[in-house]
């Protein structure tokens, strides 16, 4: 069973799409879910979904550690033709996962109480991101 989730972003930040995945898996049974973002400047994370400050702090941390290309600490970058946020976005995507695997039991993801699935947008402009999903049944 395969599908693709389309997620609209609004610049740097995290967009939760756990509910969309849960609806798709509702009648799937037991197995393993694999998700993969189909872009080189975005990532996927399983992270706390109870307090939005967690997501804000993570995005701020990434921005401090990998600033835009115009920042003096990034003067070594060569790939700047697509804007000052492009190569830093590729670096952030190299640091964070671009795929996730989640066990599924009786059609429900085995996520913890406060865990959600997020697309992490690293570019400054809004984008339409695609996440490929594959459910492999067990047994």
């Amino acid at each position: 069973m395969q599908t693709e989730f389309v997620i609209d972003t609004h610049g740097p930040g995290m967009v939760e799409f756990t509910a969309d995945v849960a609806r798709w898996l509702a009648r799937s049974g037991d197995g393993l879910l694999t998700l993969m973002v189909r872009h080189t400047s975005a990532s996927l994370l399983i992270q706390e979904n109870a307090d939005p400050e967690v997501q804000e702090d993570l995005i701020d941390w990434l921005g401090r550690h990998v600033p835009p290309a115009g920042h003096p600490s990034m003067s070594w970058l060569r790939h700047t033709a697509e804007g000052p946020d492009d190569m830093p976005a590729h670096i952030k995507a190299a640091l964070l996962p671009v795929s996730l695997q989640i066990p599924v039991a009786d059609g429900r993801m085995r996520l913890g109480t406060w865990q959600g699935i997020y697309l992490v947008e690293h570019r400054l402009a809004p984008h339409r991101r695609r996440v490929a999903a594959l459910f492999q049944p067990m047994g």
Side-chain angles (χ1 to χ4, degrees):
M1 191 164 91
Q2 296 188 51
T3 196
E4 184 174 79
F5 296 98
V6 178
I7 301 162
D8 291 322
T9 68
H10 306 284
M14 297 171 66
V15 179
E16 185 176 7
F17 65 107
T18 314
D20 297 329
V21 177
R23 275 191 295 279
W24 178 67
L25 288 170
R27 294 185 189 93
S28 63
D30 297 343
L32 184 64
L33 170 65
T34 300
L35 299 170
M36 186 197 80
V37 64
R38 299 183 58 212
H39 305 274
T40 59
S41 56
S43 303
L44 295 175
L45 279 180
I46 294 175
Q47 197 46 254
E48 178 180 327
N49 63 1
D51 185 349
E53 289 180 346
V54 171
Q55 294 93 50
E56 292 168 13
D57 286 346
L58 284 169
I59 295 301
D60 289 347
W61 179 85
L62 281 169
R64 279 194 297 281
H65 288 278
V66 186
H71 190 275
S73 67
M74 302 299 274
S75 63
W76 56 272
L77 291 178
R78 290 181 284 278
H79 178 72
T80 58
E82 295 179 56
D85 67 327
D86 186 51
M87 189 61 214
H90 292 301
I91 294 169
K92 292 171 188 177
L95 294 172
L96 297 178
V98 295
S99 66
L100 303 170
Q101 288 192 311
I102 303 168
V104 176
D106 196 28
R108 296 182 63 179
M109 291 177 284
R110 302 284 302 190
L111 294 171
T113 303
W114 306 114
Q115 288 183 318
I117 304 168
Y118 290 88
L119 177 114
V120 185
E121 177 61 68
H122 301 304
R123 297 293 306 263
L124 294 175
H127 281 80
R128 177 161 282 171
R129 301 300 195 172
R130 299 182 182 284
V131 176
L134 170 67
F135 175 74
Q136 298 171 294
M138 306 292 255

